[in-house]
Amino acid sequence: YDVGRNRGHVCVGRSADTSQFAVNSLRTWWQTAQAVYTGCRHLLLLADGGGSNSSRGRLWKRELQEFATETGLTITICHYPPGTSKWNWIEHRLFSFISVNWAGEPLRTLSKLLSLIRGTTTTTGLEVTADLDTRDYPTKVKVTNAEFKSIKLQRHNICPQWNYTITPQNSRT
């Protein structure tokens, strides 16, 4: 969910909800959003603390490192602490309206699901796009210690377990 533009993007998958799926969802969004953000070199992600984008997830961080390196973006991640997802804007400003839009509709096909997500709007101008990711994502992927040490991860001074920045591999910052 892009707070400033009141735009949401949802990736629907048919495989497991993994860190690879989460970062590929981000990648899919960025492929269209970068035209709006020409010259952007930094990206701020606000994320829940658990699941595929867990603040403790080594695979999440490795996949973000790959994304940062391929795009040249410096990515700052701020996780909501455990038990505080009620303050996550995505829940209130995006998913709540998607849920209202498909209320009472049988979600029998993926095309119906995508259509209902894409049809979500609000009086404040919310627009939502959606894509189907048909890739298979393996579960239980392990990140070796060597792989993890190669991540250009800088933890922040405040709540370093939840706030950190990942810079591209070819960056000196």
Side-chain angles (χ1 to χ4, degrees):
Y1 176 69
D2 182 332
V3 175
R5 294 180 58 236
N6 199 21
R7 302 290 181 265
H9 182 76
V10 177
C11 285
V12 175
R14 300 182 320 168
S15 183
D17 179 19
T18 68
S19 297
Q20 292 164 317
F21 172 72
V23 174
N24 273 332
S25 297
L26 176 63
R27 188 176 281 114
T28 301
W29 167 79
W30 180 247
Q31 288 169 350
T32 58
Q34 65 185 337
V36 174
Y37 299 105
T38 28
C40 175
R41 302 309 321 143
H42 296 85
L43 191 61
L44 170 64
L45 301 179
L46 304 178
D48 277 343
S52 59
N53 56 331
S54 167
S55 59
R56 296 184 308 180
R58 292 166 58 114
L59 182 59
W60 163 249
K61 292 177 179 90
R62 186 193 77 186
E63 293 296 314
L64 282 174
Q65 177 67 77
E66 289 179 17
F67 177 66
T69 299
E70 76 187 40
T71 60
L73 291 169
T74 296
I75 304 171
T76 296
I77 301 93
C78 297
H79 290 275
Y80 290 95
T84 62
S85 63
K86 62 185 169 195
W87 288 297
N88 186 334
W89 290 32
I90 295 170
E91 298 296 328
H92 298 286
R93 310 254 323 255
L94 178 63
F95 288 129
S96 63
F97 293 106
I98 290 172
S99 296
V100 167
N101 193 48
W102 72 25
E105 290 281 344
L107 304 175
R108 292 193 175 112
T109 65
L110 289 170
S111 61
K112 177 71 172 182
L113 173 73
L114 291 167
S115 174
L116 288 168
I117 292 171
R118 291 174 185 143
T120 301
T121 59
T122 64
T123 57
T124 60
L126 173 67
E127 291 181 21
V128 183
T129 56
D131 287 314
L132 176 62
D133 186 340
T134 59
R135 289 172 275 209
D136 288 320
Y137 294 97
T139 57
K140 300 179 183 169
V141 175
K142 300 292 182 196
V143 175
T144 66
N145 288 337
E147 285 177 306
F148 192 72
K149 285 180 185 177
S150 74
I151 297 171
K152 291 186 69 175
L153 184 140
Q154 179 182 12
R155 295 190 182 278
H156 297 191
N157 291 333
I158 298 173
C159 298
Q161 72 274 30
W162 300 320
N163 302 308
Y164 49 91
T165 297
I166 295 176
T167 55
Q169 288 290 355
N170 52 2
S171 171
R172 294 182 186 169
T173 58

